[in-house]
Structure formats: C-alpha cells, structure tokens
C-alpha cells in the first residue's frame, strides 16, 4: 500500500514530500530518513521504484511504503538510550533508521522469519556502515537480528521500551504483543486493519490510539507439523560494551565537540546547519494517483486539459528559465566529513585511526 505522496527523484525529494504531507513531523525522524537512502535496500534492477511511496516485495524481501514507515517512526517517539524490538525486521531499513536515534547506549533487536532475509539485512547493514556518507554524523546503535517466528519468543525474554510489528496482528495476539513492553513503553502494530499505537501506562493499564487504516499481510502462525514442538526464539543478549568500544565512542564524541566549537568560533554567532542544497524545480509535475483494485496496485496520471493545450508553451518557458538561471546557479561542493578529516590528521598509528573510523571505506 502507499501512494500518499508524489514520487521523488531522489531520497531527499521523497523526504521533502513526506514532510510536506505531514507524515514526517519531527527533526529526529527527518534526520534518520535523510541519513539512509531507501534505494540502498532495493535490488539493483528495482531501484527505479525506490522513491515512490509504494510498498515493494520480491520473494521474501519486503519494504513497506515510506508513508507507513514515517508514521511508525513518529508514533514510536524514539529517544537515545531506549531499547527497541522489531518483529518482522525484514531488510533492516527501519531498524537502521531507529539505530541512528537510539545512539550507542540503546538496544536494537530484530526477529525475522526468513533466514535469507536476515542475510540480506546483514549485507545492507554492512554496506551502510562502510560506505554511507552520513554514518559519521551519528553514534549508531547497530541492530542485531535473529531468525524465528515472532509468536514464539521465549517467555522469559526481557521487555522493551519500544516494539514494532511489521505484519498484521489479529485480536487474539494483542495481549502477547503487549506483554513484550515495559511500563511506559510504546507498541506500534497493524491491529485489525488499523495501524495502532498502544502505550503501557501501568502493569495492567494501556492507552490505545488508532493512527490510520492499513493493509498488511497477516502474521504467519507457527508450524509444528515437522517436530510437533515449539521452536523457542531467544532474543539477542543485551551486550555490555567493551572498554575499547567505550573509548572509541568517547573519543569520537570529543572530536565532534571540538569541531562544533571551531565552527562556532569561525561563524561568530554560533554553528548553524548550512541549508541543504536542493535542485531548482522548473518542471511542472502532474499528480500521480495510485489505484487499488483486487489487491493489485495501478499507477495512473491525471492530466488537466489545460496542461495539454499549453504543453509546448510551458516547455519553452522552462527552457528559458533554465538558460537564465545557469549563470547564477552553482553546484554545491561535496559535503565534507570533518570528523574523518580530523581523525586522519591526528598523530596516531594508522590502525588506531581506522578503528576510530570503524574501518570505513570512505
């Protein structure tokens, strides 16, 4: 499902559209969405569809529509240091965006039914850590994934601050999902065709809010035909960071503060985020309409008759505007990774520099 906003030409334009339509409403969520390119989670031959507000499925690999993910991220009310459980973690796209907000002292776990999708998610996670230009802007809570049916989680598992289920939940499984939450925690899930936010306000007290109508594939029930026994899913342990890892976090944090202070000193009146460069839009784009029929999705364009009559005149106006704007428009310089530059300039052995940079390729 999806189709709530127009298609973007790149990841930033997709996020702009989601913001304009009020699906993304907070700065933390916007930063996470901009930091991870949705197209990186598509197979190469399907990347042309990455910036459309539509779900994508290929075999066991599945991504929900961007408007759904943005509503989920906003509803979860994520904060640094929280624990998060993603039921049906899939490609890891959502888990990675959540990890950017949770920071180095959060907990980020996922349960996925299909082992091939787990491998796919690990590959995408590794690619993001090693190559993303935005990685060094954050301290990341790396997700950990386990294979299994999320309805068979060990009853003695720890409870979480935030839980999301990415498959349709029926009423009989509602209490099971609620019991995964700590008091004060938030659960977001598709419950009886409604994306639902449930807040645990006490040991036996809950607040429920319906967010929007959705259509998700239902949870797959456990199959015990082979052995007749339940396959208990043991969630990843809550790992304690090593002293070496804590030192890396502290050093990177100190360097970022120095960079911030230098920028403040240079700018005089404080550090301001430079305006994000956007291409000047001169093309008159027509609205895309998404039509649902018997669970199949069809995309069509609605044209205004006046658009067709004035098409050649509009094109000529656009060409003229482009020509007039060329002398004054300059392409922005590529973004500078100040953290990387500062680390590489330190009088340290190369292996230590590379460790501070997570052995990144860029």
């Amino acid at each position: 499902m999806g189709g709530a906003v127009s298609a973007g030409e790149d990841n930033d334009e997709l996020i702009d559209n989601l913001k304009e339509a009020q699906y993304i409403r907070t700065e933390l969520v916007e930063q996470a969405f901009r930091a991870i390119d949705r197209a990186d989670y598509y197979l190469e031959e399907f990347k042309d569809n990455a910036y459309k507000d539509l779900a994508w499925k290929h075999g066991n690999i599945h991504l929900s529509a961007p408007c759904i993910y943005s509503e989920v991220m906003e509803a979860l009310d994520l904060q640094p240091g929280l624990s998060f459980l993603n039921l049906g973690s899939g490609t890891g796209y959502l888990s990675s965006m959540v990890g950017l907000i949770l920071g180095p002292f959060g907990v980020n776990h996922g349960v996925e039914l299909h082992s091939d999708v787990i491998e796919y998610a690990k590959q995408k996670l590794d690619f993001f850590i090693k190559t993303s230009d935005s990685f060094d802007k954050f301290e990341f809570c790396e997700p950990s994934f386990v294979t299994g049916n999320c309805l068979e989680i060990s009853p003695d598992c720890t409870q979480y601050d935030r839980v999301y289920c990415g498959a349709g939940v029926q009423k009989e499984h509602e209490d099971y999902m609620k019991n995964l939450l700590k008091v004060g925690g938030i659960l977001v899930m598709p419950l009886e065709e409604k994306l639902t936010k449930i807040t645990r306000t006490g040991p036996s007290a809950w607040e429920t809010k319906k967010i929007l109508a959705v259509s998700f594939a239902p949870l797959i029930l456990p199959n015990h035909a082979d052995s007749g026994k339940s396959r208990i899913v043991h969630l990843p342990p809550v790992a304690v960071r090593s002293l070496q890892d804590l030192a890396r976090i502290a050093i990177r944090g100190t360097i970022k503060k120095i960079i911030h202070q230098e920028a403040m000193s240079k700018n005089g009146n404080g550090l301001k985020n430079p305006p994000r460069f956007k291409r000047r839009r001169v093309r008159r784009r027509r609205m895309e309409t998404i039509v649902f029929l018997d669970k199949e999705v069809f995309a069509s364009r609605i044209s205004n008759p006046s658009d067709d009559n004035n098409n050649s005149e509009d094109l000529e106006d656009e060409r003229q505007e482009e020509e007039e704007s060329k002398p004054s428009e300059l392409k922005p310089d590529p973004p500078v990774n100040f953290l990387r530059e500062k680390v590489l300039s330190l009088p340290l052995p190369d292996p230590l520099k590379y460790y501070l940079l997570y052995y990144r390729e860029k």
Side-chain angles (χ1 to χ4, degrees):
M1 66 171 295
V5 301
S6 300
E9 294 182 8
D10 57 24
N11 196 66
D12 276 327
E13 192 168 311
L14 171 62
I15 308 314
D16 291 341
N17 294 338
L18 291 168
K19 280 190 66 182
E20 186 176 353
Q22 288 294 300
Y23 284 99
I24 292 178
R25 300 178 290 277
T26 58
E27 185 177 355
L28 278 177
V29 172
E30 179 185 351
Q31 289 174 348
F33 268 85
R34 292 199 190 279
I36 298 182
D37 195 320
R38 181 175 167 88
D40 290 342
Y41 287 78
Y42 275 67
L43 294 170
E44 192 66 36
E45 60 267 34
F46 299 104
K47 285 190 174 182
D48 288 346
N49 297 316
Y51 307 122
K52 296 178 181 177
D53 188 29
L54 294 172
W56 172 65
K57 191 174 190 304
H58 181 78
N60 291 326
I61 301 170
H62 176 264
L63 280 168
S64 293
C67 68
I68 300 297
Y69 281 133
S70 54
E71 284 287 5
V72 169
M73 290 279 285
E74 292 288 356
L76 285 170
D77 189 21
L78 297 160
Q79 302 295 329
L82 296 180
S83 57
F84 172 67
L85 176 62
N86 189 354
L87 303 176
S89 51
T91 65
Y93 173 63
L94 177 66
S95 292
S96 292
M97 288 195 292
V98 169
L100 296 174
I101 298 177
L102 297 183
F105 304 112
V107 175
N108 193 355
H109 293 165
V111 179
E112 169 56 43
L113 182 63
H114 304 288
S115 58
D116 60 324
V117 180
I118 291 273
E119 291 306 311
Y120 186 85
K122 289 179 178 178
Q123 291 171 15
K124 296 303 178 183
L125 175 62
D126 189 57
F127 179 82
F128 169 69
I129 292 174
K130 288 185 176 179
T131 68
S132 172
D133 288 329
S134 62
F135 177 83
D136 284 328
K137 297 177 183 177
F138 300 84
E139 291 299 339
F140 187 45
C141 182
E142 186 173 332
S144 298
F145 305 113
V146 295
T147 306
N149 190 306
C150 66
L151 292 175
E152 296 184 297
I153 292 174
S154 174
D156 60 353
C157 77
T158 183
Q159 293 177 316
Y160 290 79
D161 296 302
R162 300 291 186 268
V163 177
Y164 171 64
C165 180
V169 178
Q170 297 306 311
K171 197 68 178 176
E172 59 263 31
H173 295 126
E174 180 179 356
D175 288 343
Y176 173 90
M177 296 294 175
K178 287 178 175 179
N179 288 331
L180 296 170
L181 272 186
K182 294 179 181 178
V183 173
I186 295 173
L187 164 66
V188 178
M189 62 181 175
L191 180 64
E192 296 185 315
E193 304 297 312
K194 296 286 192 302
L195 189 64
T196 305
K197 175 180 179 179
I198 298 176
T199 305
R200 188 169 194 170
T201 57
S204 302
W206 316 85
E207 289 182 357
T208 301
K209 178 183 178 182
K210 304 293 185 182
I211 301 173
L212 77 164
V214 293
S215 178
F216 276 65
L219 282 171
I220 296 176
L221 300 179
N223 182 3
H224 303 149
D226 295 337
S227 64
K229 295 182 180 180
S230 175
R231 297 182 179 89
I232 296 298
V233 176
H234 295 281
L235 295 173
V238 178
V240 177
R241 287 189 175 272
S242 67
L243 182 60
Q244 190 178 36
D245 202 17
L246 291 172
R248 174 165 60 182
I249 294 168
I251 293 170
R252 284 167 62 91
T254 299
I255 294 173
K256 286 180 180 179
K257 287 179 182 177
I258 292 172
I259 293 170
H260 181 81
Q261 291 168 356
E262 290 176 349
M264 286 183 66
S265 175
K266 183 177 180 180
N267 295 341
N269 59 348
L271 177 65
K272 294 182 179 180
N273 291 327
R276 188 176 57 81
F277 177 83
K278 281 196 62 181
R279 290 189 303 276
R280 185 171 173 273
R281 296 191 199 178
V282 296
R283 185 186 308 163
R284 292 174 174 82
R285 298 171 60 200
R286 298 173 182 173
M287 183 175 292
E288 288 193 349
T289 300
I290 308 301
V291 181
F292 294 89
L293 182 62
D294 294 332
K295 298 184 179 180
E296 295 293 332
V297 182
F298 299 87
S300 62
R301 296 184 182 271
I302 297 179
S303 302
N304 187 319
S306 62
D307 289 342
D308 296 329
N309 294 337
N310 298 324
N311 186 51
S312 59
E313 183 179 339
D314 288 347
L315 288 174
E316 184 58 37
D317 289 343
E318 290 170 7
R319 289 194 196 98
Q320 185 174 349
E321 288 177 12
E322 285 178 337
E323 290 300 321
E324 290 174 354
S325 66
K326 278 181 181 177
S328 60
E329 284 190 358
L330 298 175
K331 290 185 177 180
D333 293 330
V336 178
N337 189 327
F338 293 105
L339 178 65
R340 181 178 179 83
E341 288 192 349
K342 184 70 75 173
V343 169
L344 293 176
S345 69
L346 294 174
L348 298 171
D350 285 346
L352 182 52
K353 292 180 183 179
Y354 298 146
Y355 178 76
L356 290 174
L357 294 172
Y358 287 85
Y359 305 100
R360 288 168 46 72
E361 295 175 0
K362 288 188 179 181

